[in-house]
Amino acid sequence: MDASRDDITQEIAAVAARLVVEEGLEYAAAKRRAVKQLGLPPRTALPDNAALDAAVREDIAVFCPDTQATELHALRELALLWMERLKDFRPHLGGAVWHGLATRHSDIYLQMFCDDPKAPEWALLDHRVDYHPGTVNGWRGEPVEALTLRTRCEALGQWVLVHLMVHGHDDLRGALKPDAQGRKPRGDAAALRRVMAGEVAA
């Protein structure tokens, strides 16, 4: 008897969640690799991000609740440090570190909102911070300039990648609209401090 479509989708979500937690993969890449690992056709229906969110939370709760909490705190502290350094560009934290799903394998994603899109790059150059320029997809699917740097996280004893996505100043309004689950998709330094103090959930 063939597994139902829902069963297959749940299996993809479970395998993808392991990849997110253990390797720090982004959701899209984790879903694609899960399909390949399970030997499923490339056009197999994929779980949505809400389903993968739930699977990641379940994986963390079962396999690494204690270590994940410590690792998440270390990454949030590191994110806050860079947000302070880049405060002139209205940085907002998003991704797994903001939503509480990060492990030591996760990258930090900061969105910058500024009038001059080259200003963050000049700031990094002025402070002699090595970075790699590139392009990623923004939350609307549009190409966004990204500056990736490698920074030391002493609390974890390892290097962490920080991605700075550079947006126009006026893009901030759309960036704060709640997602399908009613969650704020990103937050500034003050919001991150509240989350870390346990006052609100991201």
Side-chain angles (χ1 to χ4, degrees):
M1 180 176 174
D2 291 338
S4 70
R5 181 172 174 174
D6 284 348
D7 288 341
I8 293 172
T9 302
Q10 288 175 6
E11 190 171 5
I12 293 171
V15 173
R18 281 268 81 192
L19 294 169
V20 170
V21 173
E22 292 188 344
E23 299 184 26
L25 288 189
E26 290 302 297
Y27 279 17
K31 291 176 191 179
R32 289 193 300 270
R33 196 191 297 179
V35 167
K36 190 173 182 179
Q37 284 188 7
L38 292 168
L40 298 169
R43 293 177 179 266
T44 300
L46 299 174
D48 61 20
N49 285 349
L52 187 46
D53 265 352
V56 169
R57 291 186 189 280
E58 182 177 351
D59 190 281
I60 289 170
V62 171
F63 294 106
C64 56
D66 297 330
T67 56
Q68 189 269 343
T70 302
E71 292 167 4
L72 172 63
H73 184 78
L75 289 171
R76 283 177 164 172
E77 289 278 9
L78 186 60
L80 196 57
L81 174 66
W82 279 98
M83 292 170 86
E84 289 295 334
R85 289 175 177 172
L86 298 164
K87 61 184 178 182
D88 290 345
F89 311 115
R90 305 173 79 189
H92 283 65
L93 175 66
V97 179
W98 168 249
H99 288 301
L101 300 175
T103 68
R104 65 168 51 245
H105 305 292
S106 302
D107 296 350
I108 294 171
Y109 290 86
L110 297 176
Q111 275 92 23
M112 311 282 111
F113 299 92
C114 43
D115 293 320
D116 180 358
K118 285 295 180 183
E121 191 167 358
W122 287 117
L124 294 180
L125 287 170
D126 286 345
H127 289 87
R128 298 182 180 180
V129 175
D130 290 332
Y131 66 91
H132 176 74
T135 304
V136 298
N137 288 330
W139 62 83
R140 295 188 297 266
E142 80 286 9
V144 173
E145 182 180 356
L147 309 173
T148 298
L149 56 95
R150 188 167 172 261
T151 187
R152 185 74 179 171
C153 181
E154 295 301 340
L156 296 178
Q158 67 181 46
W159 294 89
V160 173
L161 292 180
V162 179
H163 306 281
L164 312 178
M165 279 81 82
V166 184
H167 302 271
H169 185 278
D170 294 337
D171 290 335
L172 181 55
R173 183 178 299 177
L176 299 179
K177 290 181 180 177
D179 64 14
Q181 287 78 50
R183 305 173 306 175
K184 292 181 179 178
R186 52 195 58 85
D188 61 13
L192 178 57
R193 287 192 187 93
R194 290 195 296 272
V195 168
M196 293 173 70
E199 295 173 11
V200 296

